[in-house]
Amino acid sequence: MPPLFPALTAGSARPALTFGDRSLSHAELAAAAGASAALLGRAGRVAVWATPTLETAVGVVAALLAGVPAVPLNPRTGERELAHILSDSTPSLVLAAPGDELPPVLDKLDRVNIDVRATSGPLPLPEEPPAEAPALIVYTSGTTGPPKGVVLPRRAITSTLDALADAWEWTGDDVLVHSLPLFHVHGLILGILGPLRRGGAVHHLGRFETAAVARELAAHGTMFFGVPTMYHRIAEALSDEPALAEALSGARLLVSGSAALPVYDHERIAAATGRRVIERYGMTETLMNTSVRADGEPRPGTVGVPLARVKVRLVEETGEEITAYDGESVGEIQVCGPNLFSEYLNRPDATAAAFDGPWFRTGDMATRDPDGAVRIVGRKATDLIKSGGYKIGAGEIENALLDHPAVREAAVTGEPDPDLGERIVAWIVPSNMQSPPSVEELARHVAQQLAPHKRPREVRLLDELPRNDMGKIMKRALHG
Ligand code: MCA
Ligand code: AMP
């Protein structure tokens, strides 16, 4: 197998990772990650405490070098969700930065502190594992039940990153400005592993702030990757921050993904900067499927055309394939290609249900323009919410809410939100209408059990939930 990171193997002295005032070249990264990789030995799987830091990037690269599957953990994950991820993925080790305080549930795992200045001496890097070997297990929400572990083989990572290099003319000369979290595909695979595979550099800002994006893009950056909430906040800030418009104007490529970027925000950014944001469409299970190409026409409102080696089809409710490229026939997007995951961990039932032969059913609904550009128009499941670019299942929040003593019944919906795309609304029948729980209390409870981004932003009280004759909650009858 050719190496996942050729510049690491070659010991390139060019800059690779910058987090705040700490940087590593590809050669230094090879040494630090090589030293940590040697400590992973025969670990079955390792968890990575995925703070937005240099240690996380080095830890994930170490696991990839060692050929040990890594499970990135959101450091804000609540008790219930963390317990599920640990019992499902059964890591034997946790990788963390030396000073990190970990929750007690992680005490039973051996801990490896990542030393970003360690050197592995003259040892050669370990031999490249096979293409189908599992590289990462990323947890993602479904409509019901707890999140599922998506097993991503090395082959999916290399094929998606190489297809993006083709679509975006992405090279080792690019410097990516990055402020996404490192426990999902967007921030970790595209944002960290992408620049490393190209032999280029990434500057991570620690957290998203428009002023920091402007500063880094103006100083060194050529590309910025963000979720629509970030571009919305950029669009809002442009009139007050002239440096931001100037920095964006000078960037080579601005890419949005994880959710739809509204055309209004596209247009505001284009008007102020003269630059078009391009969109790409992906999913944890499929990595990247389509993109507007850097050498193509800007196409706001579309997610572009299929990437190299990715096959995309639209399928009607009846199972029939739509052959028209007419901009109006709507079908489910199904994809097939080397970018796909191997399986849901421990869930052969869910894996089988997700496929029609080699085709993965995305659950996203779309039309296709005459030139092949895909327009996403909705989603099959109403119980999936995209908020701030995070995928959130209504069912998992309902279950967490039902555990609260002041809640008798609960239903969760997503409502349009100009900043988050969708905001989580909890419809609650309180145990006692005279002393109902507050939004702050329920938000705190959900954040503590699941994760802060899953917390309800609004709570609406009801005497009873609308149900059909079968007793099923009629969510369509719930709206503000
Ligand atoms: C507020 N906070 C709380 C509570 N209330 N914490 C605990 N309990 C509470 N009750 C805290 C939050 O933790 C956070 O802390 C702060 O208040 C604000 O939180 P919030 O409003 O939720 O978020 P935000 O800071 O406004 O963040 C917006 C964001 C973020 C930066 C756009 O949503 C984000 O990073 N989104 C990226 C999602 C993503 O990467 N998706 C990729 C998956 P503090 O202030 O300390 O931070 S999709 C994917 O990978 C596929 C493949 C794809 O296509 O890309
Ligand atoms: P996740 O499971 O968190 O990986 O999210 C994947 C989902 O995000 C997809 O199934 C889509 O619904 C959505 N998504 C990703 N990129 C885009 C985009 N550019 N436009 C619209 N939706 C998107």
Side-chain angles (χ1 to χ4, degrees), residues 76 179-181 183-187 190 207-208 227-230 233 257-259 280-285 287-288 386-391 419-420 440 443-445 447-448 451-453 455 457:
R76 288 221 170 93
S179 55
L180 290 155
F183 45 83
H184 279 310
V185 163
H186 195 169
L190 273 57
R207 59 181 299 142
F208 173 75
V227 292
T229 301
M230 293 174 178
R233 293 179 187 181
S258 301
R280 92 307 180 271
Y281 158 63
M283 198 169 173
T284 306
E285 291 88 334
L287 303 188
M288 296 302 117
K386 265 268 162 168
S387 189
Y390 289 110
K391 189 190 220 176
D419 180 47
L420 296 171
E440 292 77 22
R444 193 187 56 78
H445 172 75
Q448 227 168 49
H453 63 263
R455 71 190 191 273
R457 309 287 173 135

Side-chain angles (χ1 to χ4, degrees), residues 432-469:
N432 178 353
M433 202 38 123
Q434 264 59 58
S435 57
S438 66
V439 62
E440 292 77 22
E441 170 57 18
L442 294 181
R444 193 187 56 78
H445 172 75
V446 172
Q448 227 168 49
Q449 293 294 314
L450 304 178
H453 63 263
K454 299 185 178 179
R455 71 190 191 273
R457 309 287 173 135
E458 266 182 64
V459 169
R460 303 212 182 114
L461 300 176
L462 297 171
D463 289 324
E464 58 180 341
L465 294 177
R467 291 181 187 272
N468 65 14
D469 293 345

Side-chain angles (χ1 to χ4, degrees), residues 413-430:
T413 57
E415 288 189 5
D417 185 281
D419 180 47
L420 296 171
E422 287 181 284
R423 74 174 163 275
I424 297 169
V425 177
W427 303 79
I428 298 292
V429 179

